[in-house]
Amino acid sequence: MELQGQWAALMPRAKQALLDVVDSGRYILGPQVEAFEREAAAMLGVAHGVGVANGTDALALALRAVGVERGDEVICPSYTFYATAEAIAAVGAVPVFADIRDDYDLDPAAVEAAVTPRTRAVVAVHLFGHVADLEALRAVCDRHGLALVEDAAQAFGAGQGVAQVGDVATFSFFPTKNLATFGDGGLITTPREDVADTCRTLRFHGSKDKQTFTQIGYNSRLDELHAAVLRVFLEGVGAWNEARRAAAVRYRELGLGEHATLPPDGGIYHLYMTRVADRARVVEACRAAGVACGVYYATPLHRQPVFADLPARDLPVTEACAREGLALPMFPTLSSEQQREVVAAVASARTPA
């Protein structure tokens, strides 16, 4: 991830925005947070935005706001970052892992098969910036009276109904995300006023006025400094996402698909996740050529030690992606020449000696 190049054009304004906050003397839940909440919600096409400290807190607050309680079951993928299931467990619920499709997102049929009388919600993760099948998942949830939570940490600006179909959606602004700040930050969006109101209360110790406390809440607030930076970078995220999409097209045109299974078209390519059967050999070839690559979620959540006491699950697509997934360079300033080097490195590992 080449952050400085991506941010270069907007960096002077971001630095000035930080200075303006310092000079204002307002650091917590002030005008910058309020403005960012409005502007981000408008860009996403949703009614309400609630800024919080990070994406993990956003998930925990969102789950509580839609009524998930201790002992409830929440269906989610196993092939995802740990925070997805961590947030479920943190509110006292039980993660139930369902299999994914080849597009890395939850299989609606697998979700339906996992529903029990204890199921309260489904968490759909828009993994690597690819949008889950929201309409099909919404239909499953409606049939069973379940809440639909969108974990959109990797999908800000992906379109295709993101944040508009679920009861609530959550975002992370960790520095490597498509929309990021200079540290941690998160956002909850929802079309439901009751959910937004509950999230605002929960993020502030379970209080509306710092005097009367109605719930056991959190100290989880997006601060003014990060909100000011996010307001600046919000102006660039659309172009950055389009540059990622263009780079994905170039990978296909350069013949990468002859040597690896390419990710599905669409989304915003937070990571460019390919699949290769001989991953160790490809990793070795890339590193030898000076090409960055990364393995993500090689141990899926249903095989993590912390969840060893949960019932065993048969998740064949999850296991295949965990075994074969390899992220190749993807960022808005990625050049055609750099992509040719990537393709050459992968090809060198896949060509018989």
Side-chain angles (χ1 to χ4, degrees), residues 79-92:
Y79 190 64
T80 181
F81 183 58
Y82 175 60
T84 301
E86 180 186 29
I88 295 169
V91 302

Side-chain angles (χ1 to χ4, degrees), residues 26-145:
R26 292 288 303 275
Y27 306 120
I28 302 293
L29 294 184
Q32 295 296 328
V33 170
E34 293 174 2
F36 173 69
E37 290 172 339
R38 289 194 307 271
E39 292 161 4
M43 180 173 285
L44 294 165
V46 67
H48 305 282
V50 181
V52 294
N54 55 69
T56 306
D57 283 1
L59 272 172
L61 272 67
L63 288 164
R64 285 187 57 185
V66 296
V68 174
E69 299 179 346
R70 184 169 299 277
D72 289 341
E73 292 180 349
V74 177
I75 299 170
C76 69
S78 175
Y79 190 64
T80 181
F81 183 58
Y82 175 60
T84 301
E86 180 186 29
I88 295 169
V91 302
V94 179
V96 175
F97 299 113
D99 209 3
I100 57 175
R101 306 187 304 197
D102 285 335
D103 59 4
Y104 305 114
D105 292 321
L106 271 176
D107 181 347
V111 170
E112 184 127 39
V115 174
T116 76
R118 294 174 57 195
T119 307
R120 182 67 184 84
V122 173
V123 177
V125 181
H126 303 307
L127 198 64
F128 310 135
H130 299 293
V131 180
D133 190 344
L134 288 171
E135 295 300 333
L137 291 169
R138 177 81 268 175
V140 172
C141 289
D142 289 347
R143 279 195 293 273
H144 297 279

Side-chain angles (χ1 to χ4, degrees), residues 267-338:
I268 54 172
Y269 303 96
H270 168 65
L271 294 176
Y272 191 79
M273 185 62 66
T274 65
R275 288 174 61 181
V276 289
D278 47 351
R279 184 170 66 190
R281 184 177 176 184
V282 178
V283 168
E284 182 180 4
C286 285
R287 290 176 178 170
V291 170
C293 62
V295 174
Y296 289 81
Y297 321 136
T299 303
L301 299 185
H302 71 286
R303 292 200 282 110
Q304 291 290 347
V306 68
F307 297 126
D309 292 338
L310 296 180
R313 310 290 297 185
D314 182 23
L315 308 175
V317 182
T318 294
E319 295 284 2
C321 290
R323 185 173 58 250
E324 300 173 354
L326 183 65
L328 297 175
M330 172 57 71
F331 45 89
T333 56
L334 186 65
S335 69
S336 298
E337 183 55 40
Q338 287 172 316

Side-chain angles (χ1 to χ4, degrees), residues 240-254 256 262 268-269 272 329-336 339 343:
W240 296 334
N241 285 342
E242 285 304 316
R244 289 171 179 270
R245 292 186 178 107
V249 171
R250 287 199 301 271
Y251 269 134
R252 190 175 296 277
E253 292 173 345
L254 289 169
L256 182 59
L262 303 186
I268 54 172
Y269 303 96
Y272 191 79
M330 172 57 71
F331 45 89
T333 56
L334 186 65
S335 69
S336 298
Q339 290 185 271
V343 174

Side-chain angles (χ1 to χ4, degrees), residues 6-24:
Q6 173 180 325
W7 293 342
L10 293 175
M11 189 63 80
R13 289 181 53 203
K15 291 179 178 178
Q16 185 59 54
L18 291 172
L19 292 174
D20 290 344
V21 171
V22 172
D23 290 342
S24 76

Side-chain angles (χ1 to χ4, degrees), residues 191-273:
R192 293 172 48 181
E193 187 172 357
D194 61 324
V195 170
D197 187 60
T198 299
C199 288
R200 292 189 185 100
T201 299
L202 288 172
R203 75 175 174 183
F204 196 70
H205 300 286
S207 174
K208 295 182 182 295
D209 58 8
K210 207 176 180 180
Q211 302 295 325
T212 303
F213 299 88
T214 58
Q215 301 189 59
I216 301 298
Y218 305 77
N219 180 14
S220 183
R221 301 167 300 215
L222 179 67
D223 66 52
E224 287 284 284
L225 289 166
H226 287 316
V229 172
L230 285 163
R231 291 186 68 198
V232 174
F233 286 170
L234 197 62
E235 299 177 23
V237 69
W240 296 334
N241 285 342
E242 285 304 316
R244 289 171 179 270
R245 292 186 178 107
V249 171
R250 287 199 301 271
Y251 269 134
R252 190 175 296 277
E253 292 173 345
L254 289 169
L256 182 59
E258 299 172 19
H259 313 289
T261 300
L262 303 186
D265 292 335
I268 54 172
Y269 303 96
H270 168 65
L271 294 176
Y272 191 79
M273 185 62 66

